[in-house]
Amino acid sequence: MSTAIYPGSFDPVTLGHYDIIERSSRIFDRVIVGVLRNSAKSPLFSEEERVNMIRHVARNLPNVEVKAFDGLLVEFAREEKASVIVRGLRAVTDFEYELQMAQMNRVIAPEIDTLFLTTNLKYAYLSSSMAKEVAMYGGKLSAFLDPEIASLVRAKFAPEK
Ligand code: COA
């Protein structure tokens, strides 16, 4: 059985992430979306919220599981018996960082490969921070986020009553 890990901070999960999750679920028998617990990015959403949001968007993909992790990604992959790490490449600007990370991971765990999927062109510009910025200024989120996720993001920026 082939198992892949798709890691990230997912703060929040976007339609671009979903595109990668859905395509990975067609390539592998089992896909584990790994939510980085201690992100240095001081996330807007808690670990539990981020996990639940991904479970919501991936609810119709039976071979997709969502788990939080901390520590080294390759150790998490080993624990889950995953032989592949999936990453999405949006633009050439992603490449250098992704290549460095893939090579580091390969030195630590030579038995685990990194597979890059090119992001759907529709989402090549998208990031979680950009979606949050649009939400902060009250902009329309339907091109970036699942409707349920969009309401949760909007609620975070709604003025306290
Ligand atoms: N669609 C939309 N946005 C995408 C995307 C896609 N397909 N692919 C990446 N992004 C965006 C994310 O939204 C995120 O945006 P943000 O910076 O505005 O939040 C950004 O690209 C990159 O984030 P992400 O993919 O979540 O990766 P990351 O850089 O936050 O985390 C890990 C990468 C989790 C894989 C890495 O930090 C890790 O492995 N950490 C564990 C520790 C470890 O093993 N370290 C050694 C590695 S060498």
Side-chain angles (χ1 to χ4, degrees), residues 4 10 26 59 68 75 92 97 99 107 109 113 124 128 142 146:
F10 304 105
R26 285 190 269 129
R59 63 194 177 284
E75 290 305 332
V92 84
Y97 170 64
L99 183 69
V107 170
D113 263 310
S128 299
S142 55
D146 166 279

Side-chain angles (χ1 to χ4, degrees), residues 8-9 14 16-17 41 71-73 87 90 97 101 126 128-129:
S9 31
T14 66
H17 292 129
K41 291 178 176 173
L72 283 180
L73 171 61
R87 294 287 290 166
R90 289 166 300 173
Y97 170 64
M101 204 157 61
L126 180 56
S128 299
S129 308

Side-chain angles (χ1 to χ4, degrees), residues 6-12 14-20 34-36 39 41 69-75 85 87-90 94 97-98 100-105 108 117-120 123-132:
Y6 177 42
S9 31
F10 304 105
D11 185 44
T14 66
L15 294 179
H17 292 129
Y18 178 77
D19 173 59
I20 302 284
V35 178
L36 183 63
S39 173
K41 291 178 176 173
F69 77 100
D70 47 26
L72 283 180
L73 171 61
V74 288
E75 290 305 332
I85 293 166
R87 294 287 290 166
L89 277 184
R90 289 166 300 173
D94 281 344
Y97 170 64
E98 292 296 336
Q100 192 181 11
M101 204 157 61
Q103 284 172 336
M104 280 282 281
N105 285 335
I108 312 170
L117 293 183
T118 50
T119 303
N120 187 323
Y123 307 121
Y125 59 89
L126 180 56
S127 71
S128 299
S129 308
M130 294 269 195
K132 284 183 282 194

